[in-house]
């Protein structure tokens, strides 16, 4: 008798390990609770930076005309962690970075960047638009699975000057483990707004820093009249953590104008939300649990979104199972396997910390 119209159930990931198991969980829960009673948490949606991304895109008209293939060269989503698997080795062995971070957090960020403006701020209006992004993700082919997805596993290295162990030496981890602690991939959203624009996603444990950010690289000027025109001069960086804020990168006239040399220098406009709004803002989980109590579903994931994300991720899992190569090693404290830079270079781009 506890399940009344006001009852809510909160589900925390992992919700399944593939499409079939996710569907069976959703089906099972759906037999008892209606969709509007079910709150599937993705704590990345509760991060203040993600809500600010919605505010930036749908509360301001400034960027909207630029937010498309004609003006954007590529988009990079990075979720880097310094932490290893800590004491969760046994759990992580059955999960890996693709299931742990890409299927949910990274794809939700990609939806927030790529979605069309919703018709209003109601939960289903937002979730309908996110679902359309997931449905538009370019299907994998044998070739793209090979070239555009990289898995890695950390070896021993140093974080902040201290030596750290390899993944295979962590508690609860098989010494011959093939589990990936790093994934980088390239995809596209096949629709009118984004056709042809590469979206790069990268996430991993024991990387060079704790750093989650989305970088929007705008196209260069069509014609250069200054001596020192720099490739990707215009860039919007949405910092999720450890900083929370926006950076707009522009070119300005440099200091040395004695020679009238038209030398341009990169400058950065910073909007630091921590400074502007203070550190006391509620954290992601607090925010989401408050939303549960108050019955707001906007920042929760609907079953069809989740299933679509699994459908897109599943060919990667299947490909890896059959691929004898296994994850590429990388030293703890670096930015992952070197193949990650080679992948982005194929499109003529580089990761934002490289250029
Ligand atoms: C969780 C993953 O969902 O997100 C963890 O299971 C990961 O492996 C964590 O460390 C990262 O969250 P945050 O908020 O610290 O970036």
């Amino acid at each position: 008798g506890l399940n009344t119209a006001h009852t809510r159930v909160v589900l925390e990931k992992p919700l399944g390990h593939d499409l079939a198991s996710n569907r069976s969980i959703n089906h099972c829960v759906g037999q008892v609770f209606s969709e509007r009673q079910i709150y599937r948490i993705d704590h990345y949606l509760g991060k203040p930076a993600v809500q600010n991304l919605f505010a930036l895109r749908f509360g301001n008209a400034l960027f909207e005309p630029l937010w498309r293939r004609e003006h954007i060269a590529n988009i990079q989503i990075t979720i880097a962690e310094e932490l290893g698997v800590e004491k969760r080795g046994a759990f992580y062995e059955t999960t890996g970075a693709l299931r742990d971070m890409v299927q949910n957090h990274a794809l939700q960020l990609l939806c927030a960047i790529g979605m069309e403006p919703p018709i209003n701020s109601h939960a289903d209006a937002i979730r309908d638009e996110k679902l359309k992004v997931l449905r538009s993700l370019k299907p994998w082919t044998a070739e793209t699975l090979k070239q555009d997805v990289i898995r890695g596993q950390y070896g021993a290295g140093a974080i902040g000057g201290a030596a750290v162990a390899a993944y295979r030496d962590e508690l609860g981890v098989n010494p011959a483990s093939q589990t990936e602690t790093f994934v980088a991939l390239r995809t596209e959203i096949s629709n009118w707004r984004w056709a042809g624009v590469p979206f790069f996603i990268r996430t991993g444990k024991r990387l060079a820093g704790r750093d989650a950010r989305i970088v929007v690289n705008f196209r260069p000027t069509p014609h250069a009249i200054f001596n020192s025109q720099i490739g990707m001069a215009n860039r919007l960086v949405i910092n999720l953590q450890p900083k929370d804020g926006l950076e707009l990168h522009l070119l300005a006239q440099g200091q040395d104008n004695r020679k009238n040399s038209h030398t341009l220098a990169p400058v950065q406009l910073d909007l630091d939300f921590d400074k502007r709004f203070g550190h006391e803002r509620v954290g992601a989980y607090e925010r989401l649990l408050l939303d549960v109590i108050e019955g707001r579903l906007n920042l929760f994931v609907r079953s069809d979104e989740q299933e679509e994300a699994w459908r897109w991720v599943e060919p990667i899992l299947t490909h890896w199972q059959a691929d004898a190569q296994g994850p590429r090693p990388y030293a703890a404290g670096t930015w992952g396997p070197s193949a990650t830079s080679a992948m982005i270079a194929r499109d003529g781009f580089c990761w934002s910390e490289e250029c």
Side-chain angles (χ1 to χ4, degrees):
L2 285 177
N3 186 5
T4 69
H6 301 294
T7 306
R8 288 155 207 166
V9 59
V10 184
L11 304 181
E12 170 70 294
K13 77 186 238 300
L15 289 180
H17 52 88
D18 57 10
L19 177 61
S21 53
N22 176 254
R23 272 190 168 156
S24 109
I25 293 170
N26 282 336
H27 176 72
C28 182
V29 180
Q31 285 187 318
V32 186
F33 299 101
S34 69
E35 186 64 33
R36 66 185 162 70
Q37 291 178 292
I38 305 173
Y39 290 71
R40 294 179 192 81
I41 287 196
D42 184 309
H43 78 281
Y44 267 64
L45 292 179
K47 290 190 188 280
V50 176
Q51 284 140 57
N52 269 312
L53 175 56
F54 287 122
L56 174 80
R57 290 201 55 205
F58 308 131
N60 297 279
L62 185 65
F63 285 105
E64 171 52 26
L66 305 176
W67 213 256
R68 57 193 64 252
R69 61 192 302 282
E70 288 81 1
H71 302 288
I72 291 179
N74 68 80
I75 294 186
Q76 304 176 10
I77 298 172
T78 297
I79 311 177
E81 296 184 87
E82 277 186 342
L83 287 179
V85 289
E86 308 306 297
K87 296 197 173 66
R88 299 195 307 157
F91 158 77
Y92 200 82
E93 273 290 89
T94 62
T95 307
L98 188 73
R99 291 183 174 101
D100 191 40
M101 298 297 288
V102 177
Q103 186 275 338
N104 33 70
H105 305 322
L107 285 184
Q108 285 295 328
L109 295 182
L110 182 129
C111 287
I113 277 282
M115 68 193 264
E116 294 300 313
I119 53 166
N120 57 38
S121 61
H122 296 165
D124 277 334
I126 295 169
R127 301 189 304 178
D128 287 346
E129 296 305 336
K130 287 198 287 160
L131 179 63
K132 273 160 61 183
V133 172
L134 294 166
R135 285 193 177 143
S136 315
L137 287 176
K138 206 167 180 177
W140 296 107
T141 64
E143 203 190 335
T144 56
L145 282 170
K146 229 163 119 189
Q147 283 192 355
D148 294 349
V149 191
I150 289 161
R151 58 174 160 162
Q153 188 189 73
Y154 63 83
I159 299 276
V164 294
Y167 175 71
R168 290 181 180 183
D169 294 329
E170 302 273 17
L171 193 73
V173 172
N174 176 349
S177 172
Q178 295 291 304
T179 301
E180 81 287 356
T181 59
F182 174 95
V183 180
L185 60 84
R186 176 199 189 280
T187 187
E188 290 178 26
I189 300 175
S190 303
N191 64 15
W192 274 47
R193 185 186 287 268
W194 294 117
V197 178
F199 284 74
F200 299 100
I201 292 176
R202 144 183 93 147
T203 183
K205 297 209 178 277
R206 287 285 191 233
L207 294 183
R210 179 169 188 252
D211 184 357
R213 70 185 121 102
I214 305 171
V215 177
V216 179
N217 281 314
F218 291 93
R219 291 189 188 281
T221 54
H223 171 66
I225 63 162
F226 293 96
N227 298 338
S228 56
Q229 209 88 1
I230 299 175
M232 289 290 155
N234 295 146
R235 168 180 288 176
L236 177 71
V237 181
I238 298 140
N239 285 312
L240 278 80
Q241 63 197 27
K243 282 205 299 184
D244 173 11
L246 297 174
E247 293 166 19
L248 185 61
H249 296 232
L250 304 165
L251 287 185
Q253 180 69 58
Q255 287 292 318
D256 187 14
N257 50 12
R258 278 164 302 181
K259 289 178 261 162
N260 189 22
S261 60
H262 297 293
T263 307
L264 295 184
V267 287
Q268 196 174 309
L269 281 171
D270 270 312
L271 180 55
D272 183 332
F273 289 135
D274 288 330
K275 268 199 203 131
R276 176 65 186 79
F277 300 117
H279 287 286
E280 297 305 310
R281 284 170 298 152
V282 289
Y285 273 100
E286 284 168 274
R287 162 72 205 249
L288 293 175
L289 293 175
L290 276 171
D291 281 355
V292 173
I293 292 165
E294 292 178 3
R296 281 190 299 262
L297 271 162
N298 300 33
L299 298 176
F300 294 84
V301 184
R302 209 167 55 192
S303 63
D304 48 4
E305 279 179 79
Q306 211 170 44
E307 289 180 15
E308 200 56 45
W310 275 116
R311 184 173 294 115
W312 185 76
V313 152
E314 210 166 58
I316 306 177
L317 292 168
T318 313
H319 170 69
W320 282 351
Q321 264 163 18
D323 177 19
Q325 194 188 12
R328 295 165 195 262
Y330 62 96
T334 65
W335 282 104
S338 56
T340 311
S341 299
M343 177 184 77
I344 198 167
R346 273 207 317 274
D347 280 293
F349 303 127
C350 44
W351 294 101
S352 58
E353 78 280 357
E354 296 172 338
C355 59

